[in-house]
Amino acid sequence: MIFLSHPAYAPTRVLSHSTDARHLNRVVSHPPQPIPTDDALVARARTGDRDALGELVARYHERAYRLALRISGNEQDAEDIVQNAFLQVCRKLGTFRGDAQFGTWLYRVTMNEALMAQRARQRDDAESLEAYLPRFDESGAHTRLDVDYARAADVETLIDRERLQREVRSAVDRLPPIYRTAFVLCDLEELSAPDAAKILEIDAAAVRQRVHRARLMMRGFLGRLAGSESA
Amino acid sequence: MIALMCRDVVERLDDILDNTAPAEVRHAAAVHLKACPRCVEFVRAYGETPSIVRRVLTAQTPSNLAVRVREFLRREAARERDS
């Protein structure tokens, strides 16, 4: 039996001698191509290489779409946002210096496009989610009686999924933008605070503070929703 | 030794849960939580918020989106060349 040490060549099953020989010949004559880095693709795309641009689209379109949808709250808007974000990036490829990573840059452009789309669609009378922040009395003890924290964690079993999706999407829409972007990047896209900080162009401590405040608002909202259902 | 009220625990909850708060603050929070069921419920609910929202807002990328984006970019490039 022949086992090649590189993980890319590692056989998934024990091969016969003849199969091994064929496998080895194939590997030697057609070694796997190294996966190009984003920087290499950007450099090629800058010279007009459409395949390189296509590869960048393939790599990033899903993440860009998810971010666009979570910030804008609208599926049709999200698709337009992704297209416009890639278009902007294409137009500015010549000026991209590589100080930031391509993904960080694309995320920032997508997020700004999504915020503009969301602002254009949001009703002026939409209630801000700040109304759901916890409240305390003068001694510093909890005073909110309209939020059922005990049942908040069970909200998924109390509310049917379609309604819950609608309510939660609307709640994320109503988070003030500076909190929504930090919350979406860190808690939904699961980026680290330093990575989100690069996209938002603020420091990591400010990101953590915004995420914390957004969680408090979302927590209050979910508690109120669960409480209203169980009342 | 410091004593924390509900408001103090809530305000510093991210640091307390991340273990980035000073040891004496984490200790004081633990003491407070032993005596405050409302805060225990709050902390549990706070910790579960991101995963609940992530599960509820699962996003399905439309099929062929990458193809449509590439087509869009080709059309725009052609339009800019022609104009």
Side-chain angles (χ1 to χ4, degrees):
Chain A
M1 289 185 295
I2 300 168
F3 291 96
L4 298 170
S5 59
H6 191 285
Y9 305 147
T12 53
R13 60 187 170 86
V14 176
L15 302 171
S16 68
H17 281 286
S18 60
T19 312
D20 269 352
R22 281 199 300 275
H23 177 69
L24 184 58
N25 278 337
R26 200 166 53 242
V27 165
V28 170
S29 56
H30 299 289
Q33 295 296 308
I35 297 169
T37 62
D38 287 353
D39 286 346
L41 289 172
V42 168
R44 282 170 46 199
R46 212 182 264 168
T47 66
D49 182 335
R50 282 186 183 174
D51 289 342
L53 182 59
E55 178 58 29
L56 287 168
V57 171
R59 267 183 205 182
Y60 284 100
H61 77 282
E62 288 191 10
R63 275 176 275 180
Y65 178 81
R66 225 174 34 224
L67 178 66
L69 180 58
R70 285 171 164 165
I71 300 271
S72 74
N74 180 283
E75 287 169 4
Q76 185 52 53
D77 282 355
E79 188 159 338
D80 294 343
I81 289 161
V82 172
Q83 291 187 340
N84 287 330
F86 272 107
L87 181 62
Q88 275 199 49
V89 162
C90 282
R91 285 176 174 156
K92 291 178 182 164
L93 272 178
T95 60
F96 180 59
R97 295 274 172 260
D99 298 336
Q101 291 181 335
F102 176 80
T104 304
W105 182 36
L106 177 69
Y107 251 45
R108 189 181 303 141
V109 173
T110 305
M111 192 184 65
N112 289 335
E113 285 277 324
L115 282 171
M116 278 196 294
Q118 199 265 349
R119 263 198 301 271
R121 203 169 39 76
Q122 189 166 40
R123 289 165 36 211
D124 289 340
D125 59 347
E127 180 197 32
S128 167
L129 224 63
E130 285 183 304
Y132 294 92
L133 284 170
R135 290 187 199 136
F136 307 94
D137 64 18
E138 284 178 7
S139 74
H142 284 286
T143 54
R144 285 206 87 126
L145 301 176
D146 57 338
V147 174
D148 188 345
Y149 297 126
R151 304 200 71 161
D154 303 325
V155 70
E156 286 169 290
T157 58
L158 290 167
I159 314 272
D160 79 75
R161 188 161 182 84
E162 205 171 304
R163 180 178 162 218
L164 190 57
Q165 269 182 337
R166 207 170 48 241
E167 298 272 11
V168 170
R169 186 168 282 183
S170 155
V172 174
D173 269 4
R174 286 182 289 135
L175 282 171
I178 61 166
Y179 302 119
R180 184 176 350 123
T181 47
F183 178 72
V184 168
L185 290 172
C186 291
D187 276 359
L188 304 188
E189 293 299 309
E190 299 183 87
L191 299 185
S192 66
D195 284 346
K198 286 180 198 152
I199 293 167
L200 296 169
E201 299 179 285
I202 56 175
D203 66 55
V207 171
R208 278 192 285 270
Q209 188 56 37
R210 290 178 186 188
V211 172
H212 173 57
R213 203 163 166 83
R215 271 188 211 163
L216 292 178
M217 293 182 219
M218 289 302 295
R219 176 68 283 137
F221 173 81
L222 292 176
R224 177 93 158 262
L225 191 62
S228 69
E229 197 59 23
S230 57
Chain B
M1 187 179 131
I2 58 172
L4 298 183
M5 289 300 294
C6 306
R7 177 172 45 215
D8 308 316
V9 172
V10 167
E11 279 174 1
R12 308 195 66 170
L13 196 48
D14 56 337
D15 293 335
I16 292 166
L17 294 177
D18 285 351
N19 278 338
T20 52
E24 62 172 356
V25 171
R26 282 183 279 135
H27 176 74
V31 170
H32 176 87
L33 288 169
K34 273 187 187 161
C36 182
R38 183 93 170 137
C39 273
V40 171
E41 290 167 359
F42 188 93
V43 171
R44 175 175 162 244
Y46 175 93
E48 291 184 356
T49 296
S51 57
I52 290 175
V53 178
R54 261 199 311 276
R55 279 196 298 274
V56 170
L57 294 187
T58 308
Q60 189 74 39
T61 310
S63 58
N64 293 330
L65 177 61
V67 174
R68 286 201 294 282
V69 172
R70 284 196 291 263
E71 284 294 320
F72 172 77
L73 295 177
R74 254 195 292 276
R75 276 199 311 276
E76 287 297 313
R79 204 171 56 82
E80 284 176 13
R81 264 199 313 274
D82 295 344
S83 62

